[in-house]
Amino acid sequence: MDKKELIKKAAQTLFFQYGWEKVSIGEICQQANISRVTFYKHFTNKKELLKQLFTEQKEEMWQAFNDLLENAKSLDLLIQRIFQLQKHAMQTLYSQEMVYDLQHHKDEELQAFFAEMEQEKYQFMHYFFTTLQQKSIIRDDFPVLLIEIFIRKIDELKTDPALLQCYQGKDQQFLKDILSLLMYGIAAKA
């Protein structure tokens, strides 16, 4: 594994455990067993490293979702695979500590970066659900705009204090329930 990959792996491990705000470049270097000079050969700062991790994760997810679209045969299999992808993301990058930092950071550069990523996500979801409609996997009598707005509301639900309390310690079940509610609600009529 090259040095850049060692740095990313070390950062991902530490960010997952503690969130990115609490982790220093020195701790990343120590975890990766590299010098600060080596770190700065590959990354300008911790923000650049963080953005690269999120960008790579987004690209992996989009590729997986495109593969799903190509091979989608049934809604049940599609839901199972989406849940596996969500579970993987929750086990590699989206820990409670990372989600907390996402919701509470004040850095304007990162806010702009995450806002852009969110818009890209919604654009991709438009394409994804339009394609599912064209393949008759989901209902075509719902406008994709309705599905998009529903997804935005789901994103709001993920931060609702009452729901978080209800699902405390059951993050995976929360995501599974939200996904099931959406996907079975828009399932193509048999």
Side-chain angles (χ1 to χ4, degrees), residues 20-21 50 54 93-106 110-111 113-114:
W20 81 76
E21 291 192 354
L50 178 71
F54 274 96
L93 199 55
Y94 287 92
S95 65
Q96 288 181 336
E97 290 77 8
M98 285 292 283
V99 171
Y100 179 87
D101 284 354
L102 279 170
Q103 294 169 348
H104 294 92
H105 71 90
K106 303 291 185 224
L110 288 177
Q111 285 176 344
F113 172 77
F114 288 121

Side-chain angles (χ1 to χ4, degrees), residues 15-186:
F15 292 167
F16 185 84
Q17 289 178 323
Y18 306 107
W20 81 76
E21 291 192 354
K22 293 179 183 173
V23 175
S24 69
I25 290 174
E27 290 166 325
I28 295 168
C29 293
Q30 184 178 5
Q31 177 81 12
N33 198 26
I34 54 127
S35 69
R36 281 180 171 272
V37 171
T38 302
F39 178 92
Y40 288 112
K41 282 181 184 176
H42 297 284
F43 298 98
T44 307
N45 54 38
K46 187 171 72 169
K47 281 193 280 192
E48 181 190 348
L49 171 57
L50 178 71
K51 291 185 330 187
Q52 177 145 8
L53 289 173
F54 274 96
T55 299
E56 288 176 4
Q57 193 262 356
K58 172 193 73 173
E59 290 168 358
E60 287 174 22
M61 291 291 279
W62 285 8
Q63 182 58 53
F65 272 81
N66 277 318
D67 292 345
L68 279 175
L69 285 175
E70 250 182 66
N71 303 308
K73 303 287 186 246
S74 77
L75 185 63
D76 287 332
L77 291 174
L78 187 73
I79 290 171
Q80 286 176 356
R81 184 65 182 124
I82 291 171
F83 181 67
Q84 289 170 347
L85 291 169
Q86 281 183 330
K87 186 175 181 179
H88 176 72
M90 294 293 290
Q91 293 171 340
T92 56
L93 199 55
Y94 287 92
S95 65
Q96 288 181 336
E97 290 77 8
M98 285 292 283
V99 171
Y100 179 87
D101 284 354
L102 279 170
Q103 294 169 348
H104 294 92
H105 71 90
K106 303 291 185 224
D107 185 279
E108 289 181 21
E109 179 185 344
L110 288 177
Q111 285 176 344
F113 172 77
F114 288 121
E116 182 179 323
M117 280 193 66
E118 185 174 53
Q119 288 309 308
E120 290 173 1
K121 175 183 96 172
Y122 293 133
Q123 290 169 353
F124 184 83
M125 289 291 100
H126 177 89
Y127 159 75
F128 183 77
F129 286 106
T130 299
T131 305
L132 290 178
Q133 280 184 335
Q134 292 167 350
K135 291 181 167 232
S136 299
I137 293 175
I138 64 170
R139 296 171 61 161
D140 62 2
D141 58 333
F142 287 147
V144 172
L145 179 61
L146 175 63
I147 298 168
E148 288 176 37
I149 292 171
F150 195 79
I151 290 169
R152 290 175 192 262
K153 294 300 177 185
I154 286 172
D155 287 345
E156 289 176 25
L157 288 174
K158 290 179 189 175
T159 61
D160 182 88
L163 278 174
L164 291 173
Q165 179 67 31
C166 179
Y167 282 95
Q168 187 172 12
K170 300 182 264 182
D171 296 338
Q172 294 296 320
Q173 188 62 46
F174 185 33
L175 292 173
K176 191 173 190 176
D177 289 352
I178 288 173
L179 178 62
S180 295
L181 181 64
L182 168 66
M183 296 304 288
Y184 287 116
I186 61 174

